[in-house]
Amino acid sequence: MKISRFTVLAIFVVLTLGLLVGLMLEHRLWPLTLLSVAITALGFYDLIQTRHSVLRNYPVIGHFRWLIEAIRPELRQYLFEADNEATPYSRSQRSLVYARAKGESSERAFGTLLDVYSERYEFIAPSMRPAPVADLSTMRVTIGGPQCKQPYSASLFNISAMSFGSLSANAIRALNQGAKAGNFYHDTGEGGISSYHREAGGDIVWEIGSGYFGCRTLDGKFDPERFVQNASSPQVKMIEIKMSQGAKPGHGGILPGPKVTPEIAEIRGVPVGQDCVSPAYHTAFSTPVEMMQFIQQLRELSGGKPVGFKLCIGHPWEFMGIVKAMLETGILPDFIVVDGAEGGTGAAPLEFANHIGTPLREGLLLVHNTLVGAGLREHIKVGVAGKVISAFDIASLLAMGADWTNAARGYMFALGCIQSLVCNTNKCPTGIATQDHSRQRALVVPDKATRVATYHNSTLHALAEMLAAAGIARPQDLGPQHLVRRISQSEIRLYSQIHTYLKPGELLEQGEQHPFYGLSWKLADAHSFTAEKGYTAFNELELR
């Protein structure tokens, strides 16, 4: 017999009546009676409320839908998720970071769990004569072009941009203390340099976004005097202008006034209790040429420290316009960080996270090729960020043209992040992405700082072993000819065969002959970021 949708409510009605009668004989039944009365009352309320159709049709029992839905992520993550099923990071990836952060063995028995015949499978070709394993002290890159007076020696694997405010004070403390112990850098994010960044004295890359936090006037413009105050700190090793980030490129941000505490206000240089706005674009410059002039201004004000910019690639002719501005002005950034669309953030509109921005590898190829084709690659270092977790992730990006890598969520896992996906709720269960003092006290700084440093060192050691197996003594010698991808069940190809790699100066000499780079280069304008011109001209050129 089919059970009625009102059966559960009917059961509780009968149970309540029975308990009320029984209560006259046994007074100890009152707790159970109260519970039954409450559930029965809830059931009748469900029948008359107007917000939820499910509850009107399924009183009492309908609430289980929301209960199950609320714990669905935990059930899936702990009970039903496959080892290699990414959401956005797989259990296998997280376990790798946890093990390396704790100094445990990351070895696996009984072979790979990956399907080596799937079209997405990639590997590095080993050599018949492996090279000696490189010392970790050599796994570094010197950043600073000919116009830089204070070049910086950076690790190949650093902490990507995460602001105080997005992360807790204890998380910032642990990251910077770990960076100090492991001799790598910690990017501040656009939220400014907090006292928590300074406590341990770890190397800092100061990220300056469109809000100019830490170097702004009261009306939100760039303030040279305040910039000098922060940039002159010996702890600040490089200055990074944030043009856009991978998780939400082209999207500004706002911190509501109630969240602008005296501490946040002091760090960012904004009024207490007022909305703190990050515009979608910079006000210190409006064209590629002006951008180069701003870079030169920051380099001079900082005493010659490396200055560069970070972006998620969009219209190719816009980035090429920046490169043309470099050629026209003679002003070169010391570095460029390419942020992939797969990058993370505490909160981003779903459409932006899913469908705006160029993925990291394609963005890296465009930047690398454009700089090579313009004859500038040897003077400008290129860093990358976007789902970098393992030594293979680093190796594959170095092979494609990067000089070093950054990671944000990987280091969050090292801090103890369990990927609960509640970064935007202030209810992080591990005390990482929260400003709730009772929650962040769970993060013990000395212990987590050690894990951050251990994860960094263990990952670079694994990278050194991978390179040695490929017969490569130095990371700089890794190239696209070493990275292999399966493109069908019966065919594999080197990355040097799959992708186009321009020759030095090719865009300047015969760039217009290239079907993609040539068209984009022709459309690029050193004096404008305007997109409409590119749309129209690109379509017209392709139709010819």
Side-chain angles (χ1 to χ4, degrees):
M1 182 178 68
K2 185 176 181 180
I3 299 177
S4 168
R5 62 181 186 272
F6 301 111
T7 298
V8 174
L9 175 58
I11 290 173
F12 274 99
V13 169
V14 173
L15 179 62
T16 299
L17 293 174
L19 286 171
L20 289 173
V21 173
L23 195 60
M24 294 185 290
L25 302 175
E26 178 55 70
H27 295 293
R28 288 178 294 182
L29 290 174
W30 68 265
L32 187 59
T33 304
L34 285 177
L35 177 62
S36 183
V37 168
I39 294 176
T40 302
L42 175 65
F44 282 112
Y45 173 75
D46 288 342
L47 290 172
I48 63 174
Q49 58 83 36
T50 57
R51 292 187 61 191
H52 301 292
S53 301
V54 170
L55 296 181
R56 287 170 66 88
N57 274 331
Y58 297 89
V60 179
I61 193 66
H63 288 278
F64 283 96
R65 174 185 182 274
W66 279 274
L67 174 63
I68 295 172
E69 191 175 69
I71 63 174
R72 176 183 177 274
E74 287 78 10
L75 291 173
R76 187 172 187 274
Q77 181 174 351
Y78 292 111
L79 298 178
F80 306 114
E81 182 181 271
D83 282 346
N84 292 312
E85 187 177 359
T87 56
Y89 287 88
S90 69
R91 165 61 62 181
S92 179
Q93 289 174 308
R94 299 196 304 271
S95 296
L96 174 67
V97 178
Y98 297 150
R100 286 190 171 151
K102 296 175 184 177
E104 298 173 353
S105 172
S106 58
E107 295 177 349
R108 168 166 288 170
F110 226 62
T112 180
L113 297 179
L114 301 179
D115 180 2
V116 299
Y117 293 99
S118 69
E119 292 184 9
R120 301 180 63 183
Y121 181 68
E122 295 178 341
F123 61 95
I124 288 180
S127 171
M128 295 291 288
R129 188 175 178 82
V133 177
D135 187 276
L136 294 191
S137 63
T138 66
M139 309 288 278
R140 307 187 71 80
V141 56
T142 299
I143 304 171
Q147 300 165 351
C148 174
K149 296 178 181 178
Q150 300 185 51
Y152 174 63
S153 176
S155 168
L156 297 184
F157 187 43
N158 304 281
I159 301 171
S160 193
M162 293 181 284
S163 301
F164 168 64
S166 296
L167 298 192
S168 68
N170 279 358
I172 296 295
R173 286 184 175 113
L175 287 171
N176 196 261
Q177 189 172 317
K180 175 73 172 179
N183 194 22
F184 54 103
Y185 77 66
H186 178 194
D187 192 311
T188 65
E190 68 175 307
I193 306 173
S194 70
S195 60
Y196 312 113
H197 288 96
R198 301 184 189 274
E199 286 182 10
D203 291 352
I204 285 176
V205 171
W206 181 17
E207 182 179 274
I208 299 175
S210 57
Y212 305 113
F213 300 129
C215 58
R216 61 182 269 147
T217 60
L218 290 178
D219 61 351
K221 306 300 183 182
F222 174 71
D223 185 341
E225 292 184 6
R226 293 206 65 193
F227 173 81
V228 171
Q229 292 173 6
N230 277 319
S232 60
S233 168
Q235 195 178 351
V236 175
K237 302 301 182 183
M238 301 198 299
I239 314 297
E240 178 181 277
I241 303 168
K242 188 191 112 170
M243 298 294 291
S244 61
Q245 68 182 96
K248 48 181 179 180
H251 190 281
I254 182 170
L255 186 65
K259 292 187 177 181
V260 183
T261 63
E263 182 179 41
I264 293 290
E266 181 182 0
I267 293 167
R268 298 195 175 192
V270 297
V272 177
Q274 294 185 20
D275 290 349
C276 178
V277 178
S278 296
Y281 55 85
H282 282 262
T283 56
F285 55 88
S286 58
T287 68
V289 166
E290 291 178 0
M291 179 182 171
M292 293 304 105
Q293 294 167 345
F294 185 59
I295 286 174
Q296 181 63 18
Q297 180 185 12
L298 297 189
R299 188 184 287 125
E300 292 173 355
L301 291 173
S302 66
K305 292 183 178 180
V307 178
F309 62 92
K310 178 179 83 172
L311 82 167
C312 177
I313 291 294
H315 305 302
W317 54 84
E318 291 186 352
F319 175 74
M320 291 183 179
I322 295 175
V323 176
K324 281 189 173 181
M326 298 177 196
L327 295 171
E328 181 174 320
T329 63
I331 301 171
L332 305 181
D334 297 291
F335 65 91
I336 299 171
V337 175
V338 183
D339 207 15
E342 60 269 51
T345 183
L350 181 65
E351 292 83 358
F352 276 74
N354 286 348
H355 301 293
I356 297 286
T358 303
L360 175 56
R361 291 188 172 191
E362 285 74 16
L364 169 60
L365 282 168
L366 177 75
V367 169
H368 175 74
N369 270 330
T370 302
L371 294 176
V372 170
L376 299 175
R377 184 65 178 88
E378 62 179 320
H379 303 302
I380 301 172
K381 293 297 190 291
V382 177
V384 292
K387 294 195 76 171
V388 180
I389 285 285
S390 69
F392 178 75
D393 296 333
I394 299 173
S396 61
L397 292 166
L398 296 181
M400 295 180 68
D403 292 302
W404 86 91
T405 64
N406 294 336
R409 288 168 290 181
Y411 283 104
M412 288 178 68
F413 289 138
L415 287 175
C417 170
I418 60 172
Q419 195 171 261
S420 58
L421 305 181
V422 293
C423 305
N424 59 325
T425 66
N426 208 35
K427 296 180 180 179
C428 174
T430 58
I432 297 172
T434 180
Q435 295 302 303
D436 185 328
H437 291 287
S438 65
R439 288 178 176 270
Q440 64 175 283
R441 67 176 294 275
L443 194 158
V444 180
V445 174
D447 174 64
K448 302 306 182 186
T450 299
R451 293 191 182 191
V452 167
T454 303
Y455 168 55
H456 168 270
N457 295 340
S458 299
T459 302
L460 285 190
H461 179 70
L463 174 63
E465 290 187 324
M466 289 188 73
L467 297 182
I472 300 169
R474 306 182 312 152
Q476 296 84 350
D477 297 331
L478 191 61
Q481 70 275 16
H482 297 111
L483 187 60
V484 189
R485 183 182 181 93
R486 179 174 291 283
I487 61 173
S488 72
Q489 285 276 334
S490 60
E491 187 176 4
I492 60 174
R493 287 186 184 176
L494 305 178
Y495 259 65
S496 56
Q497 297 174 305
I498 296 175
H499 296 290
T500 297
Y501 283 90
L502 300 187
K503 298 176 182 178
E506 186 174 350
L507 282 175
L508 304 178
E509 298 168 0
Q510 50 184 5
E512 294 186 9
Q513 298 181 16
H514 194 280
F516 170 76
Y517 286 96
L519 294 179
S520 299
W521 184 255
K522 186 173 183 178
L523 299 176
D525 187 349
H527 297 273
S528 176
F529 284 121
T530 304
E532 288 79 3
K533 172 186 173 182
Y535 296 145
T536 304
F538 203 89
N539 289 335
E540 289 177 353
L541 286 170
E542 282 198 317
L543 291 172
R544 291 177 185 173

